[in-house]
Amino acid sequence: MSRVCELTGKGPMTGNNVSHANNRTRRRFIPNLNDVSLMSESLGRTFKLRISAAALRTVDHRGGLDGFMAKAKPAELSPGALKIKKEIEKARASA
């Protein structure tokens, strides 16, 4: 399983560990990913996603999965999240 957030596209970054003696060694900064189930109000069902903690706070701030997907850029979403976005847009258009 790749360490990439399905909603924001956030992935591992690289940097340096810097010791007290200023020695530098390479390291990875890995995003804080969580397996969550998010409910879509317009579709009336839940979706299991692997998202970062920051993305989870953003979903809550925007009023749930439907609100997040309305503002999300398609380039950042995973293929599975893109399908969810299209389903939500279709359900909102018909309602």
Side-chain angles (χ1 to χ4, degrees):
M1 210 182 304
S2 65
R3 295 181 177 174
V4 177
C5 175
E6 292 187 52
L7 296 183
T8 61
K10 183 183 286 190
M13 294 173 38
T14 58
N16 289 312
N17 277 329
V18 181
S19 70
H20 186 68
N22 210 27
N23 297 330
R24 290 177 158 86
T25 56
R26 298 305 283 180
R27 62 163 289 182
R28 291 179 72 190
F29 295 94
I30 298 173
N32 183 11
L33 297 180
N34 299 301
D35 293 319
V36 297
S37 295
L38 297 175
M39 177 77 176
S40 170
E41 294 168 5
S42 61
L43 297 175
R45 56 184 275 229
T46 61
F47 296 95
K48 289 190 132 201
L49 298 169
R50 192 163 193 231
I51 64 174
S52 64
L56 185 58
R57 286 194 304 271
T58 306
V59 168
D60 289 339
H61 179 75
R62 291 186 182 171
L65 184 62
D66 296 347
F68 181 89
M69 289 297 191
K71 292 185 178 181
K73 296 176 183 171
E76 294 177 346
L77 298 175
S78 69
L82 269 175
K83 289 179 184 176
I84 295 169
K85 180 180 171 81
K86 289 178 183 176
E87 286 181 40
I88 291 172
E89 287 174 349
K90 187 187 265 187
R92 281 191 167 184
S94 64

